[in-house]
Amino acid sequence: MPYVLISTQIRLEVGPTMVGDEHSDPSLMEFLGATKRNMLGNHFWEYYVNEAPRVVLNKLESRGYRVVSMTGVGQTLVWCLHKE
């Protein structure tokens, strides 16, 4: 998968950081140390880590991912990364 979306809500400095959905690359999720969860009321699963987005971005950069774009949506920050 060449694209990855990560996001965080409110707590930019400490996390948690959402790093994938149920269709994400399992080996990448393992590398990030992500845990799969289903939040009450959601009809989908997501992967998250208890680390700040900065730490996750550094790990993804070490795997060849580069930030393509970043935006804020309400109290959520979202980064889109791509791997050549």
Side-chain angles (χ1 to χ4, degrees), residues 3 9 11 13 20 29 35 42 44-45 52 56-57 68 72-73:
Y3 287 96
Q9 296 179 343
R11 300 305 305 259
E13 300 83 9
M29 295 300 108
T35 303
N42 288 346
F44 58 89
W45 291 80
V56 176
L57 289 167
V68 175
V73 182

Side-chain angles (χ1 to χ4, degrees), residues 7-76:
S7 66
T8 189
Q9 296 179 343
I10 305 169
R11 300 305 305 259
L12 179 64
E13 300 83 9
V14 297
T17 304
M18 287 1 116
V19 295
D21 60 22
E22 64 240 56
H23 305 292
S24 296
D25 178 3
S27 64
L28 181 60
M29 295 300 108
E30 183 178 341
F31 168 73
L32 295 173
T35 303
K36 193 175 183 180
R37 71 177 177 187
N38 176 269
M39 298 294 287
L40 183 63
N42 288 346
H43 301 289
F44 58 89
W45 291 80
E46 63 186 1
Y47 283 96
Y48 78 100
V49 295
N50 282 321
E51 295 176 324
R54 177 188 57 78
V55 175
V56 176
L57 289 167
N58 287 341
K59 286 181 178 181
L60 288 168
E61 182 182 36
S62 76
R63 280 283 180 104
Y65 287 90
R66 300 289 180 257
V67 173
V68 175
S69 65
M70 184 268 182
T71 190
V73 182
Q75 294 182 343
T76 301

